[in-house]
Amino acid sequence: DGGITQSPKYLFRKEGQNVTLSCEQNLNHDAMYWYRQDPGQGLRLIYYSQIVNDFQKGDIAEGYSVSREKKESFPLTVTSAQKNPTAFYLCASVAGTYNEQFFGPGTRLTVL
Amino acid sequence: KQEVTQIPAALSVPEGENLVLNCSFTDSAIYNLQWFRQDPGKGLTSLLLIQSSQREQTSGRLNASLDKSSGRSTLYIAASQPGDSATYLCAVRPPTDSWGKLQFGAGTQVVVTP
């Protein structure tokens, strides 16, 4: 089945640690995105990538980093510089010329 | 800057009643608008995508309308069922960036009571 997978589903981080969230898609989509969701708020864009080896900052990129070495993979690293990383993180990709966006199941990150 | 608003934030209806969900946006220059459903602790599921040239889209019991001039979209769910209980989000895409960067509303949490 084609789709977007994210791992792990739950992640716990200690203060000062960097953690990496995985996002893989087998939809052959060119563009991929990372969003952050906080309770009662809409999704906010962290980073996006339109092609391999290229990515752009979104609205809240500070404290995060990404890489896009393969078309199907777009990992997100939450660094110790991110002051309030506890949130639900969603990965997405864009399909075809109509730009319908599809989402993965999400990773919930909690800072201990 | 584009702002997307969904009112009310929460809604409860008895089973069988039609649901009407609202989405408003401040800049009418949009590429398209997408409606999503989100179950607790889950990712977003795409429901309908309306291009800027379209007035409405339909899928089963779902119908979404778009009025760009007034900056509004409405999602109608006919004959609601308890399984329709979820949070519904709308998102708009600006015309200057056709590769994404959706601007999301905060969502409307819907409860359908049996």
Side-chain angles (χ1 to χ4, degrees):
Chain A
D1 287 336
I4 303 172
T5 58
Q6 292 186 241
S7 62
K9 185 174 181 179
Y10 300 98
L11 186 57
F12 298 92
R13 192 194 92 168
K14 294 182 180 179
E15 294 280 352
Q17 277 185 338
N18 292 353
V19 292
T20 298
L21 284 59
S22 170
C23 177
E24 304 275 334
Q25 56 98 0
N26 61 3
L27 300 167
N28 199 33
H29 291 173
D30 288 313
M32 297 184 72
Y33 308 81
W34 275 106
Y35 293 91
R36 170 181 172 140
Q37 186 176 35
D38 295 283
Q41 297 189 35
L43 278 67
R44 293 181 290 169
L45 183 66
I46 304 172
Y47 268 98
Y48 66 105
S49 168
Q50 297 178 4
I51 57 173
V52 173
N53 293 323
D54 186 51
F55 47 83
Q56 287 78 40
K57 293 182 180 180
D59 299 321
I60 55 166
E62 185 175 352
Y64 300 97
S65 66
V66 294
S67 63
R68 187 85 186 277
E69 297 177 0
K70 299 185 297 183
K71 185 177 183 179
E72 57 270 22
S73 178
F74 191 39
L76 173 75
T77 296
V78 184
T79 75
S80 57
Q82 170 50 236
K83 299 305 180 188
N84 185 23
T86 295
F88 191 51
Y89 291 86
L90 289 157
C91 178
S93 66
V94 166
T97 56
Y98 292 105
N99 293 330
E100 185 176 9
Q101 199 154 121
F102 293 92
F103 282 78
T107 292
R108 184 163 300 281
L109 172 63
T110 302
V111 174
L112 302 174
Chain B
K1 180 187 173 185
Q2 176 75 270
E3 292 186 4
V4 182
T5 305
Q6 293 184 251
I7 296 173
L11 182 62
S12 180
V13 299
E15 182 178 3
E17 192 166 297
N18 295 335
L19 276 166
V20 180
L21 305 175
N22 299 305
C23 173
S24 60
F25 44 96
T26 55
D27 187 347
S28 62
I30 64 171
Y31 188 82
N32 56 36
L33 184 146
Q34 198 167 352
W35 280 95
F36 296 90
R37 168 189 172 131
Q38 185 176 31
D39 294 292
K42 305 292 185 181
L44 277 64
T45 299
S46 178
L47 297 175
L48 290 167
L49 174 70
I50 311 177
Q51 302 297 337
S52 61
S53 58
Q54 297 176 312
R55 295 298 301 269
E56 66 176 341
Q57 274 281 15
T58 298
S59 176
R61 293 185 296 114
L62 277 59
N63 175 277
S65 66
L66 176 64
D67 184 345
K68 281 200 312 176
S69 62
S70 64
R72 289 188 300 185
S73 177
T74 303
L75 179 66
Y76 301 89
I77 303 178
S80 62
Q81 305 168 358
D84 295 327
S85 298
T87 297
Y88 292 83
L89 298 99
C90 67
V92 300
R93 181 175 287 106
T96 54
D97 182 351
S98 63
W99 279 101
K101 295 178 68 175
L102 292 176
Q103 190 71 30
F104 280 85
T108 295
Q109 185 176 19
V110 171
V111 174
V112 180
T113 56

